[in-house]
């Protein structure tokens, strides 16, 4: 297996990387080159691009992130969010082994990875990582390992909202519409509102907010030319909620969002989510990923409350690969 780990890809390598990540079954938006400038905004990281070829065919790819302890001092650790990307789950073990061999040459002593596979294939991938001497290091407050997915395809809105398990959702939608709330697709003009709402949410939870540079770089990713969809809810002249979605392949995924602290007579986020679902369906996405829910045994009240909102849309649980780490 031939392996590349480079700071800058050549034009041919970049095209190869983009095509593979865009179409591989184990692909995820966080590994796309187009999203990397947003994902790494304001973070003291060094970026390296990974490509693995076997028999002249691309079999693995990923964005390796390595923290900087100082301007020129790299920490001896690295991680790959939702990667490495593979098209075949049976290749993940070999690709991970090749990544280990190459990162050791770069002075890395601890490598954390999280390939993006679901359910039975996730189980097979985790067994393969165990054989490669990776250890499950998943934490409750880490990247989520369970999500909910709503099937889209060519279903009408009535079909998507049908069923007794969505009765609460239909009631919330009617309440929001009756109150005069409206959802629309946002533009760059609405990014300050998203930044403000997200900052208020993170501050209230005692967590770090996204840096301003994140939202500045996000502008170039917005639809219609980019893969990101921003949806806002307006009521009585105020933007009371905003949600950011990202398309990758046939899946649209909820990335981040928040509502303000004002008291309203309706659920502020239901209309933006419904608008995002319409957008994803009309663009040909087959599923809408509602984002992470707490792992089994997680008792954090904030995470459980967020999950309850998502359950109103769908209860189809999808299990993902846990974070796995190997120490050299």
């Amino acid at each position: 297996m031939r392996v590349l780990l480079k700071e800058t890809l050549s034009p041919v390598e970049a095209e190869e990387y983009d095509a593979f990540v865009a179409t591989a079954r184990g692909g995820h938006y966080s590994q796309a080159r187009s999203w990397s400038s947003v994902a790494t905004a304001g973070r003291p990281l060094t970026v390296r691009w990974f490509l693995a070829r076997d028999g002249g065919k691309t079999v693995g790819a990923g964005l390796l992130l390595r923290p900087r302890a100082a301007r020129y001092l790299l920490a001896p650790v690295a991680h790959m969010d939702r990667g490495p990307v593979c098209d075949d789950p049976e290749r993940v073990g070999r690709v991970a082994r090749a990544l280990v061999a190459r990162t050791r040459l770069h002075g890395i002593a601890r490598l954390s990875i999280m390939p993006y596979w679901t359910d039975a294939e996730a189980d097979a991938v985790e067994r393969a990582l165990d054989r490669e001497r990776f250890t499950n290091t998943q934490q409750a407050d880490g990247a989520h390992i369970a999500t909910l997915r709503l099937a889209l395809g060519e279903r009408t809105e009535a079909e998507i909202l049908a069923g007794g398990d969505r009765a609460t959702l239909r009631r919330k939608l009617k309440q929001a519409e009756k109150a005069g709330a409206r959802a629309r697709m946002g533009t760059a003009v609405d990014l300050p509102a998203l930044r403000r709402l997200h900052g208020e949410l993170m501050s209230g939870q005692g967590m770090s907010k996204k840096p301003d540079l994140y939202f500045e770089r996000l502008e170039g990713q917005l639809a219609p030319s980019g893969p990101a969809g921003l949806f806002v809810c307006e009521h009585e002249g105020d933007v009371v909620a905003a949600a950011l979605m990202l398309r990758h392949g046939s899946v649209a995924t909820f990335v981040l969002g928040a509502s303000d602290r004002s008291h309203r007579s309706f659920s502020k986020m239901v209309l933006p989510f419904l608008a995002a679902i319409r957008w994803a369906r009309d663009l040909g996405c087959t599923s809408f990923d509602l984002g992470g829910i707490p792992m089994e045994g997680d008792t954090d009240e904030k995470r459980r409350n967020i999950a309850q909102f998502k359950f109103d849309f769908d209860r189809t649980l999808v299990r993902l690969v846990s974070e796995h780490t190997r120490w050299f």
Side-chain angles (χ1 to χ4, degrees):
M1 186 176 293
R2 295 183 57 196
V3 175
L4 298 178
L5 189 63
K6 302 174 63 177
E7 183 176 0
T8 304
L9 296 174
S10 71
V12 172
E13 293 164 348
E15 183 178 356
E16 175 186 351
Y17 182 100
D18 292 345
F20 184 74
V21 172
T23 59
R25 289 199 300 126
H28 188 263
Y29 72 81
S30 64
Q31 294 298 304
R33 284 194 317 122
S34 60
W35 185 249
S36 64
S37 65
V38 181
T40 59
R43 301 167 65 186
L45 296 168
T46 294
V47 172
R48 293 292 183 271
W49 302 100
F50 169 73
L51 268 175
R53 304 185 184 106
D54 193 8
K57 178 182 178 182
T58 308
V59 295
L63 170 60
L64 187 73
L65 303 176
R66 189 174 181 183
R68 289 199 305 268
R71 183 175 177 83
Y72 298 109
L73 181 61
L74 295 176
V77 299
H79 64 278
M80 191 174 279
D81 300 329
R82 307 301 184 187
V85 174
C86 294
D87 189 51
D88 183 351
E90 294 185 2
R91 289 187 180 270
V92 173
R94 288 193 61 214
V95 170
R97 188 189 317 156
L99 178 61
V100 166
R102 183 51 57 98
T103 52
R104 293 182 71 168
L105 297 177
H106 287 255
I108 292 170
R110 188 188 74 199
L111 172 66
S112 296
I113 61 176
M114 207 171 184
Y116 194 65
W117 296 89
T118 63
D119 299 328
E121 291 181 324
D123 294 334
V125 166
E126 290 192 340
R127 289 193 295 270
L129 294 179
D130 181 66
R131 290 192 294 271
E132 296 299 330
R133 293 185 287 169
F134 281 83
T135 302
N136 188 326
T137 53
Q138 182 66 39
Q139 300 292 323
D141 59 352
H144 64 269
I145 58 169
T147 188
L148 301 172
R149 283 190 180 174
L150 174 65
L152 300 179
E154 298 180 356
R155 299 168 73 196
T156 65
E157 185 172 316
E159 291 171 332
I160 291 173
L161 297 177
D165 55 347
R166 295 192 180 91
T168 299
L169 174 60
R170 294 193 297 272
R171 175 176 54 80
K172 289 181 177 180
L173 288 168
K174 288 181 180 179
Q175 288 175 339
E177 291 168 352
K178 185 177 179 180
R182 295 292 181 267
R184 61 173 174 80
M185 175 171 275
T187 66
V189 174
D190 298 295
L191 286 174
L194 175 64
R195 181 176 60 225
R196 171 178 57 82
L197 294 171
H198 172 74
E200 291 174 356
L201 175 65
M202 294 295 101
S203 297
Q205 296 181 357
M207 300 173 65
S208 299
K209 63 181 181 180
K210 300 287 187 186
D212 290 347
L213 184 59
Y214 177 96
F215 298 95
E216 292 173 13
R217 292 180 176 178
L218 184 57
E219 180 177 350
Q221 299 291 316
L222 293 180
S225 58
L230 174 60
F231 300 87
V232 300
C233 179
E234 293 179 319
H235 184 243
E236 297 179 344
D238 299 323
V239 173
V240 296
L244 177 68
M245 316 293 173
L246 207 68
R247 291 185 296 113
H248 182 83
S250 62
V251 180
T253 303
F254 170 57
V255 179
L256 64 85
S259 56
D260 69 10
R261 300 178 182 179
S262 66
H263 175 72
R264 309 279 167 158
S265 61
F266 58 91
S267 175
K268 303 167 190 172
M269 197 64 84
V270 291
L271 289 178
F273 261 64
L274 181 59
I277 289 168
R278 292 175 184 142
W279 168 73
R281 180 203 57 191
D282 293 346
L283 288 173
C285 292
T286 59
S287 62
F288 187 87
D289 193 311
L290 292 154
I293 60 173
M295 59 191 294
E296 187 176 352
D298 186 356
T299 59
D300 184 89
E301 185 176 355
K302 297 185 183 70
R303 288 193 288 267
R304 293 178 68 87
N305 288 339
I306 293 173
Q308 188 56 53
F309 164 79
K310 297 174 182 179
F311 280 128
D312 289 341
F313 284 85
D314 203 273
R315 292 180 175 270
T316 305
L317 177 65
V318 176
R319 197 185 76 77
L320 306 172
V321 177
S322 300
E323 180 183 51
H324 280 68
T325 302
R326 180 168 168 179
W327 291 263
F328 307 151

